[in-house]
Amino acid sequence: MWRMWVVCTLHLRPFYYLPFIESLSTVALGCDEPYEMPLLSEQASRKSSLVVVGGLTLAVAISFGYMLGSGKLSLASTGLPSKYGGSDALKSVKSELITQGFSVLDDTKSLETYGFSPNSYHPASKHSLVVKAFTTEDVVKIVKLAKKYRIPLTPFSGGTSLEGHFGGYSDTLGGICLDMSNMNRVIQINEDDGDMVVQSGIRWEDVNQTLEERGIPLFFPLDPGPGATIGGMIGTGCSGTNAVRYGTAKGEWFLNLTVVLPSGEVIKTRRRARKSSAGFDLTKLFIGAEGTLGIVTEATLRLTPKLPTSVAVAQFPSVESAVSAVTELLRSDMYSHIQCVELLDVNMMEAINHAGQSNKTFAAKDSLFFKFQGSASSIKETSELVNKIVKRHGSTRFDFAKNFEEAEDLWHHRKVALWSTMAWVGDERARIWTTDVCVPPSKLPQLVAETKADIDEQSIISCVLGHVGDGNFHALLAFRDEKELEKVKDLVHRLVHRAILLDGTCTGEHGVGIGKKEYLAEELGEGTVRLMRAVKRAVDPMDLLNPGKLYPENNEK
């Protein structure tokens, strides 16, 4: 009887089509190929619909229920929302984790520490429990328990991200926080091949320090904020100040990854060869996926020779003149010797002076920080060329570091910009909202000028800085109360739309998380977002890994 109702639903599909009816019917009727019935004429279909429409819902319910009960179908395979386990499931997970020897935290302080960032102001929830992993095998066991009891699982390592990447799933079900910060070992260094294998919880600074301590003249060039780990850098598709010369995480700096999938299966995305044309580049599938497709436990990093460097600072009457100078520099024949070009506006320079972390005091002017690389002669030649070009664009001062120590001191100011800004604001109530966008470099002067005017109009204290060499622009916006917080939110919203209109992106390196997912459809298009969701459903049909992040809310019928 129920098979007859399924056939009826197929005859009526022009008027009462449900996306999963045909796939359900194929399974229900025992067909090897998708079941299709010849369509009735439009007039016949309308007449038939009046007779059997009352049984349509019952037919779907019967066939759907039968297949669920018989095990031929799961909720996950239908694309319908999965239902997570509740408090009893969490208790069972905790009990099994402890039995297996894992360290589990569920005290309030720990859950808040792992669930909330002091530098992010997006909605966040604390986790239900935190469990520490030390090996890939540990991660497999934890993932399998999350799958068994249908509990959301969120990876955590450095905790430096700014867009709400590592908070709990919801206020009622925070889920499991997987702390990977202890997975911080260097597994293997292949100096002759210029690569190394590490666990994903290691910080990028520790990678380079290890190479330096062992006397290996190589380094890993991706340099995001202090404390960022390799796993988080992969998840957000990061870059840093070196991006103008060495590119981003989405280049070839990760040769392969070891990943634990939501099923608990372990895969390696490719071998250690410098290049490969064998199939899909699955390494890049996980770069920028923000822990929603799999949990990266190990990575092979491509290294590059560590060249001598020096630093210079040029100061300008305006941001626009500084950025226009960079546009010309990027077309010069000495471009390959410029490792970094960083923009710091007048407020940022005041903040640096106020922080007092150097004996050197700068004029409060919009400035460019340069890092040059190469031989002593090429650095000298490049600095002379840069000095000539910046003067043509109105530079009033050009300071070139006299030695290595002075260069290190100058560059340190750029890397601690956030903390300098917080000290400069000088109000205990003040908080800093940090955001980033990226546009084609030629569009950056317009973006910066319009954004600074918008900020000034709202009377918000701010600092502007960025990796101007590749069009990446950061704004540090201070607020002291709820009224100013709402102003800041609106400023960020307008900044993002402004960048997208200039053929840019809502985030150059911070990632999407919760904070930027509402802009993805506008930037990428609905078709691209649907494809992203389809990949997520295929890899993680139970929606276990870091749910609620990256993918925009699905408002489609």
Side-chain angles (χ1 to χ4, degrees):
M1 181 67 179
W2 61 269
R3 292 176 187 262
M4 181 186 71
W5 282 114
V6 172
V7 173
C8 288
T9 65
L10 289 174
H11 276 289
L12 293 173
R13 66 186 180 203
F15 305 101
Y16 304 101
Y17 180 78
L18 294 173
F20 53 89
I21 283 293
E22 287 189 342
S23 61
L24 295 185
S25 304
T26 298
V27 179
L29 296 171
C31 301
D32 293 327
E33 298 294 330
Y35 177 85
E36 293 188 7
M37 287 288 291
L39 294 178
L40 300 175
S41 67
E42 181 175 342
Q43 183 178 7
S45 292
R46 292 184 184 276
K47 289 180 179 179
S48 298
S49 68
L50 296 176
V51 177
V52 297
V53 69
L56 175 60
T57 303
L58 180 60
V60 174
I62 291 173
S63 58
F64 192 52
Y66 167 81
M67 286 177 284
L68 286 174
S70 65
K72 291 186 177 181
L73 186 71
S74 68
L75 275 172
S77 66
T78 67
L80 296 175
S82 300
K83 183 180 289 186
Y84 297 119
S87 57
D88 289 342
L90 280 168
K91 290 177 183 177
S92 297
V93 168
K94 180 181 177 182
S95 176
E96 290 200 34
L97 286 169
I98 293 172
T99 300
Q100 294 183 33
F102 287 102
S103 173
V104 178
L105 305 173
D106 61 359
D107 60 284
T108 301
K109 183 177 180 181
S110 295
L111 298 180
E112 289 180 350
T113 298
Y114 283 91
F116 300 91
S117 168
N119 300 314
S120 175
Y121 306 97
H122 303 297
S125 301
K126 64 183 181 181
H127 302 281
S128 303
L129 57 88
V130 178
V131 58
K132 297 177 181 291
F134 294 84
T135 65
T136 297
E137 291 72 23
D138 286 347
V139 176
V140 169
K141 293 175 183 178
I142 295 165
V143 168
K144 286 185 175 180
L145 282 176
K147 178 185 176 185
K148 177 180 177 180
Y149 292 102
R150 304 180 72 84
I151 301 297
L153 181 64
T154 300
F156 176 97
S157 51
T160 61
S161 59
L162 299 168
E163 297 293 350
H165 289 93
F166 56 81
Y169 173 62
S170 70
D171 292 338
T172 56
L173 177 63
I176 301 168
C177 176
L178 176 54
D179 181 2
M180 305 182 68
S181 60
N182 292 299
M183 295 183 63
N184 55 6
R185 293 189 302 112
V186 173
I187 298 172
Q188 181 180 339
I189 298 177
N190 306 297
E191 182 176 356
D192 290 344
D193 296 325
D195 66 57
M196 66 190 294
V197 184
V198 300
Q199 288 184 307
S200 61
I202 192 170
R203 301 185 305 173
W204 66 270
E205 300 103 320
D206 295 336
V207 167
N208 287 330
Q209 184 177 345
T210 298
L211 293 169
E212 185 174 351
E213 289 173 350
R214 299 189 186 185
I216 298 174
L218 302 171
F219 84 117
F220 183 63
L222 303 185
D223 63 333
T229 65
I230 294 300
M233 293 161 66
I234 291 167
T236 57
C238 81
S239 54
T241 62
N242 288 331
V244 68
R245 174 66 181 84
Y246 293 105
T248 75
K250 295 185 178 182
E252 293 291 323
W253 296 108
F254 297 103
L255 295 180
N256 66 46
L257 307 175
T258 299
V259 184
V260 179
L261 299 177
S263 64
E265 180 183 0
V266 180
I267 66 166
K268 188 179 283 289
T269 55
R270 55 180 264 197
R271 297 285 184 170
R272 199 165 53 84
R274 277 296 181 103
K275 64 180 182 179
S276 172
S277 59
F280 294 126
D281 188 347
L282 290 179
T283 301
K284 288 193 175 67
L285 178 67
F286 295 98
I287 297 174
E290 303 188 358
T292 65
L293 300 180
I295 298 176
V296 177
T297 59
E298 296 177 8
T300 300
L301 314 179
R302 182 164 68 92
L303 308 175
T304 193
K306 187 175 183 179
L307 303 178
T309 62
S310 192
V311 174
V313 179
Q315 298 199 287
F316 297 83
S318 69
V319 168
E320 292 81 3
S321 58
V323 177
S324 65
V326 174
T327 302
E328 182 176 348
L329 282 168
L330 295 180
R331 299 193 301 267
S332 72
D333 56 3
M334 298 302 290
Y335 167 67
S336 62
H337 293 290
I338 299 175
Q339 182 172 321
C340 313
V341 188
E342 297 292 296
L343 169 70
L344 286 75
D345 78 343
V346 58
N347 290 348
M348 189 72 255
M349 298 306 292
E350 285 187 12
I352 286 174
N353 288 334
H354 181 270
Q357 296 191 36
S358 170
N359 294 325
K360 192 175 186 65
T361 301
F362 299 92
K365 290 186 176 182
D366 299 306
S367 303
L368 292 175
F369 279 53
F370 296 94
K371 183 179 283 189
F372 309 124
Q373 67 169 203
S375 64
S377 59
S378 62
I379 288 176
K380 182 176 183 296
E381 186 179 354
T382 302
S383 66
E384 291 173 351
L385 173 65
V386 169
N387 191 11
K388 290 179 182 177
I389 290 176
V390 297
K391 279 183 178 179
R392 286 204 294 268
H393 291 267
S395 174
T396 57
R397 179 176 175 179
F398 185 83
D399 291 334
F400 182 71
K402 298 180 179 63
N403 50 52
F404 175 79
E405 289 74 20
E406 186 172 333
E408 287 287 295
D409 184 51
L410 286 173
W411 201 252
H412 173 71
H413 295 303
R414 168 60 188 90
K415 299 304 289 185
V416 296
L418 173 60
W419 292 274
S420 296
T421 302
M422 294 172 71
W424 174 63
V425 173
D427 189 325
E428 292 183 356
R429 300 172 300 161
R431 299 291 182 269
I432 306 294
W433 184 306
T434 304
T435 192
D436 88 310
V437 295
C438 189
V439 295
S442 64
K443 301 294 185 182
L444 193 60
Q446 178 184 347
L447 177 68
V448 172
E450 292 177 359
T451 301
K452 285 181 69 69
D454 193 6
I455 293 171
D456 292 342
E457 186 176 339
Q458 298 300 317
S459 301
I460 292 295
I461 300 171
S462 71
C463 292
V464 166
L465 66 156
H467 316 312
V468 65
D470 54 15
N472 195 190
F473 167 70
H474 299 251
L476 281 61
L477 306 169
F479 61 92
R480 291 162 292 193
D481 52 39
E482 288 297 319
K483 183 178 180 181
E484 288 188 342
L485 175 58
E486 291 305 312
K487 285 186 176 182
V488 166
K489 288 180 180 179
D490 290 342
L491 280 168
V492 172
H493 189 70
R494 291 193 293 272
L495 169 60
V496 169
H497 285 296
R498 199 175 292 126
I500 293 173
L501 286 173
L502 293 172
D503 209 13
T505 175
C506 64
T507 174
E509 58 186 16
H510 290 178
V512 176
I514 291 174
K516 295 288 179 71
K517 66 180 184 177
E518 67 177 287
Y519 306 111
L520 280 200
E522 178 184 356
E523 177 180 333
L524 303 177
E526 291 287 354
T528 303
V529 171
R530 279 195 298 271
L531 180 58
M532 288 173 58
R533 290 197 193 102
V535 172
K536 168 68 170 173
R537 284 195 298 270
V539 177
D540 185 15
M542 295 170 68
D543 196 22
L544 292 178
L545 297 189
N546 213 9
K549 319 292 174 27
L550 181 59
Y551 308 92
E553 301 301 330
N554 189 355
N555 296 318
E556 298 174 5
K557 294 183 180 179

